Amino acid sequence: AQTVTQSQPEMSVQEAETVTLSCTYDTSESDYYLFWYKQPPSRQMILVIRQEAYKQQNATENRFSVNFQKAAKSFSLKISDSQLGDAAMYFCAYRGPYGGSQGNLIFGKGTKLSVKP
Amino acid sequence: NAGVTQTPKFRILKIGQSMTLQCTQDMNHNYMYWYRQDPGMGLKLIYYSVGAGITDKGEVPNGYNVSRSTTEDFPLRLELAAPSQTSVYFCASSYDEGRGYTFGSGTRLTVV
């Protein structure tokens, strides 16, 4: 079964600095999808960034970028120029290539990011 | 542009009571999901549906039931509430396998 591991329960970053959140996953599939979700104190789950495994180019969304290492099964999130509003829980998630149960999102346990002013 | 709407946002139940968590989406998504979130445990899948009339169990289905009579609605039923069902519940929907989910705002349920 696929698993997603986030090894950093908590991280802290100074405002305007850069921080990297780690995520590793286990799968035997060659084609799949990876996501980072942000959950601020409001509890709302917000999609931050998405990566398709067949694409070698790392996804970017403004200040958010990923380092996707397919062979190492690693999918880290880099937040540049951190802002106070970036403080939240961040969840890494994996989704398989097929429908049915294979297409369900599998989440890591999350990393709580604090941003210091 | 409502997206995924969950009701209620908060609820306190007594042990043994039953309730239904409502979930409605207006994006014509075929795929719908129910997850529960416990502190430090991430989100775990309870049930999912790939279309009207089709539902299946996820990782933690015990104590819950679902139905999907329409594309829009995917209610989650708790029968005989237990303290172990104290959690935050999220409903989500998706257009297809490749895209991320759109989540509702969650329901915080406490069973006492």
Side-chain angles (χ1 to χ4, degrees), chain A residues 2 33 35 94-106, chain B residues 31 33 35 45 48 50 94 96-99 101:
Chain A
Q2 291 85 0
Y33 307 90
F35 306 86
Y94 164 97
R95 190 174 194 181
Y98 309 111
S101 61
Q102 296 294 325
N104 299 327
L105 273 181
I106 299 170
Chain B
Y31 299 80
Y33 311 84
Y35 282 84
L45 182 65
Y48 68 98
V50 299
S94 168
D96 61 25
E97 293 90 349
R99 307 189 194 187
Y101 295 177

Side-chain angles (χ1 to χ4, degrees), chain B residues 15 26 30-31 34 36 51 53 55 61 72 77 80 83 91-92 94 105-106 110-111:
Chain B
I15 294 172
D26 62 357
N30 285 322
Y31 299 80
W34 276 105
R36 60 177 286 171
T55 63
E72 294 78 19
R77 177 81 176 164
L80 297 175
C91 179
S94 168
S105 57
T110 303
V111 181

Side-chain angles (χ1 to χ4, degrees), chain A residues 39 41-44, chain B residues 5-14 17 19-22 34 78 85-90 104-111:
Chain A
Q39 186 181 42
S42 67
R43 199 172 69 198
Q44 184 69 46
Chain B
T5 302
Q6 282 185 245
T7 56
K9 295 193 184 304
F10 302 93
R11 183 72 185 267
I12 298 174
L13 275 183
K14 293 184 178 180
Q17 287 185 323
M19 75 164 295
T20 298
L21 280 64
Q22 302 291 344
W34 276 105
L78 279 72
Q85 293 177 306
T86 294
S87 189
V88 177
Y89 292 84
F90 286 96
S105 57
T107 296
R108 180 175 293 280
L109 175 68
T110 303
V111 181

Side-chain angles (χ1 to χ4, degrees), chain A residues 28-48:
Chain A
S28 58
E29 304 290 344
S30 59
D31 192 17
Y32 46 87
Y33 307 90
L34 297 164
F35 306 86
W36 279 98
Y37 279 88
K38 171 185 178 181
Q39 186 181 42
S42 67
R43 199 172 69 198
Q44 184 69 46
M45 293 287 287
I46 303 165
L47 178 63
V48 175

